[in-house]
Amino acid sequence: MSATTATARERTKAANRAGFGAFIGSTIEWFDFYIYGTAAALVFDKVFFPELEGPVGTLVAFATFWVGFLARPIGGVVFGHYGDRLGRKKTLVITLLIMGLSTTAIGLLPSYASIGVAAPILLVAIRMVQGIGLGGEWGGSVLIASEHAPKGKSVLYGAFAQQGSPVGNTLSTLSFLAISRLPDAAFVSWGWRLPFLFSAALVIVGLLVRLKVAESPAMAALISKKKVAKLPVTEVLRTHPMLIVLGIGACTIGLSATYFKSTFALSWATSSLSFDRSSFLTIILVANITQIVVQPFGALLATRMKSWSRAVTVMLLPELVLMPVMFLLIRTENYGLAMLGVAVATIPHCLYYAALAGMLASRFPAHLRYTGISLCYQLCGTLLGGTTPIIGQFLLNRTGSVAAVIAYAVFQVVLTLGCMLLLLKRPNHDEQSGERPVVPRTVPVTA
């Protein structure tokens, strides 16, 4: 075997290990985040806001869900700074620990009945910490995989991190499905806590995998050459403001579609319609499995098509029809039709979500990439993704009809498509394509 062949195989092995590490870590992080959304839809109004009845209690529970999204840009800035200066790997170990500890703490939190108003206050505070952890996680997971990728496959390897979202969501749904048949009193008092406590075991597994992943070649090169940005957030806002704006819009339906179905629709179907917890959780589970199976094809499609713009258009246009159909089929209260509607509507946005990470990362130079894509993704989560259940519930409360929610969902699809098409007209800074980024205002690396 030649030295060149051996080196190529080592690079491929390192890339695959990085992809697997990104997948495992992001699966655990998203599991932690999704179990909160499910608990907010099913039980948090009773445990932490018992004095607020009906739709108002649900709305307040969804507001605490949004608090995590409010904190995510903070995590994106803080960990983006260290990820762009000290490396992706070190940062990802810290974010995983933060998420795991905060999620376990929620599972141990006393209820309103036990400690009064301190319970919801502590819930919001821990949710903020959880959001900070996830805010730093996503960008690092995407980059540790995509920056290890062989030439021309950055979108494909970035999809490893993206695949963690549906798998984490599936594990979240399975965990709640397993306890959904408990009597209501047991479910409210202790059953809902089990998925949060299970997170502690998952974090140990994630750390063992993540510690074996090497630093990304792009970041290692910047560190060795002592060419890193002094203040990445300041520099990316100064030099690439429109990339941030377009990136926020381009992430929209990739984030919000999940919360339309697994948070808002779950609450709507089990409180206003005739579905019980188990039946609608099963519907969501089928949609999640559909996403796991279909989503990788989005990365393959984007990799094989010559035009990313054409690929994005092919992926998203069907969602303009399928998202409204999903809500209409849920409204029939027919179990089979609702399952079909949710599963089929999952296909367009999950194809897009697979390609989103690599496309977004390619538009930022390597020395600002962690901070840049984190800001886009996390600000989108704060402004558009995390507010989806709140706005959906508000529109439903105000109009008494799901039609306004459907209109809002269609608007988000149009916004996503328009912003991504504009974003793809911007220069491609992907180092794997052979284009070396210009690194202005470089400074020596310091601890």
Side-chain angles (χ1 to χ4, degrees):
M1 183 188 301
S2 68
T4 301
T5 302
T7 303
R9 288 188 176 182
E10 289 172 3
R11 286 199 298 265
T12 300
K13 185 177 179 180
N16 291 339
R17 186 184 292 118
F20 182 67
F23 165 69
I24 293 295
S26 63
T27 294
I28 296 167
E29 300 270 12
W30 283 115
F31 169 79
D32 288 355
F33 212 74
Y34 283 132
I35 57 175
Y36 190 102
T38 305
L42 294 177
V43 73
F44 275 0
D45 56 336
K46 302 176 186 67
V47 176
F48 296 106
F49 309 100
E51 296 185 353
L52 301 174
E53 298 181 355
V56 176
T58 302
L59 192 62
V60 173
F62 283 162
T64 69
F65 173 74
W66 177 69
V67 164
F69 287 89
L70 185 65
R72 277 164 60 168
I74 300 173
V77 170
V78 172
F79 292 109
H81 174 85
Y82 289 109
D84 278 331
R85 287 183 58 76
L86 301 181
R88 320 315 193 191
K89 177 180 175 176
K90 294 177 182 177
T91 305
L92 287 173
V93 170
I94 296 171
T95 59
L96 186 59
L97 283 171
I98 289 174
M99 282 290 293
L101 291 173
S102 59
T103 302
T104 304
I106 291 173
L108 297 171
L109 194 60
S111 67
Y112 185 93
S114 299
I115 61 173
V117 72
I121 292 174
L122 286 171
L123 177 68
V124 171
I126 298 172
R127 177 63 171 171
M128 286 283 289
V129 175
Q130 190 189 48
I132 289 171
L134 186 59
E137 162 67 23
W138 181 81
S141 286
V142 167
L143 296 184
I144 203 74
S146 63
E147 291 181 346
H148 269 95
K151 185 175 181 179
K153 295 185 178 180
S154 58
V155 169
L156 196 60
Y157 273 72
F160 275 93
Q162 300 297 75
Q163 195 70 356
S165 178
V167 175
N169 200 357
T170 299
L171 292 176
S172 167
T173 305
L174 282 171
S175 67
F176 273 93
L177 191 59
I179 59 175
S180 65
R181 295 188 183 278
L182 288 171
D184 284 348
F187 184 83
V188 172
S189 64
W190 58 268
W192 68 269
R193 300 178 183 275
L194 298 180
F196 289 84
L197 300 177
F198 179 61
S199 173
L202 291 178
V203 168
I204 295 172
V205 175
L207 284 173
L208 292 175
V209 173
R210 188 157 276 181
L211 287 170
K212 294 181 180 179
V213 176
E215 182 57 78
S216 81
M219 190 66 217
L222 289 172
I223 292 174
S224 66
K225 296 175 183 177
K226 298 184 178 180
K227 293 184 176 181
V228 295
K230 183 177 182 180
L231 289 172
V233 66
T234 302
E235 189 164 327
V236 78
L237 290 174
R238 179 180 60 83
T239 58
H240 302 287
M242 280 307 299
L243 283 184
I244 300 296
V245 173
L246 293 174
I248 291 171
C251 291
T252 302
I253 202 64
L255 277 73
S256 65
T258 294
Y259 304 115
F260 271 120
K261 68 188 182 206
S262 65
T263 306
F264 167 76
L266 173 61
S267 174
W268 173 51
T270 55
S271 60
S272 300
L273 304 179
S274 61
F275 293 95
D276 58 40
R277 282 194 304 260
S278 295
S279 63
F280 206 82
L281 282 170
T282 302
I283 288 172
I284 294 174
L285 177 61
V286 170
N288 291 342
I289 293 171
T290 301
Q291 184 169 356
I292 291 171
V293 173
V294 173
Q295 184 166 287
F297 291 98
L300 288 171
L301 182 65
T303 300
R304 294 185 178 183
M305 289 186 73
K306 293 182 179 180
S307 169
W308 281 359
S309 295
R310 187 178 305 158
V312 167
T313 303
V314 168
M315 293 174 195
L316 285 182
L317 278 182
E319 194 78 306
L320 294 172
V321 175
L322 295 178
M323 187 68 81
V325 168
M326 179 189 78
F327 284 108
L328 295 176
L329 291 181
I330 293 172
R331 195 173 62 180
T332 68
E333 301 184 63
N334 180 287
Y335 180 73
L337 290 176
M339 180 177 290
L340 176 65
V342 177
V344 174
T346 297
I347 294 172
H349 73 255
C350 79
L351 291 173
Y352 174 73
Y353 187 71
L356 169 63
M359 290 181 180
L360 186 62
S362 72
R363 266 48 201 174
F364 289 92
H367 71 299
L368 300 174
R369 196 171 283 163
Y370 199 140
T371 301
I373 68 171
S374 295
L375 279 176
C376 293
Y377 195 83
Q378 309 308 346
L379 285 172
C380 178
T382 301
L383 300 173
L384 296 162
T387 58
T388 295
I390 302 173
I391 294 175
Q393 189 66 42
F394 172 79
L395 292 172
L396 186 64
N397 292 354
R398 191 67 179 266
T399 65
S401 169
V402 78
V405 183
I406 291 173
Y408 182 57
V410 170
F411 160 74
Q412 289 204 349
V413 176
V414 173
L415 176 66
T416 303
L417 179 58
C419 287
M420 179 53 87
L421 291 177
L422 290 174
L423 187 70
L424 291 175
K425 293 181 181 294
R426 299 278 170 155
N428 186 340
H429 292 279
D430 190 347
E431 288 186 316
Q432 299 296 340
S433 69
E435 189 172 335
R436 305 293 299 181
V438 177
V439 186
R441 300 176 62 187
T442 58
V443 296
V445 178
T446 56

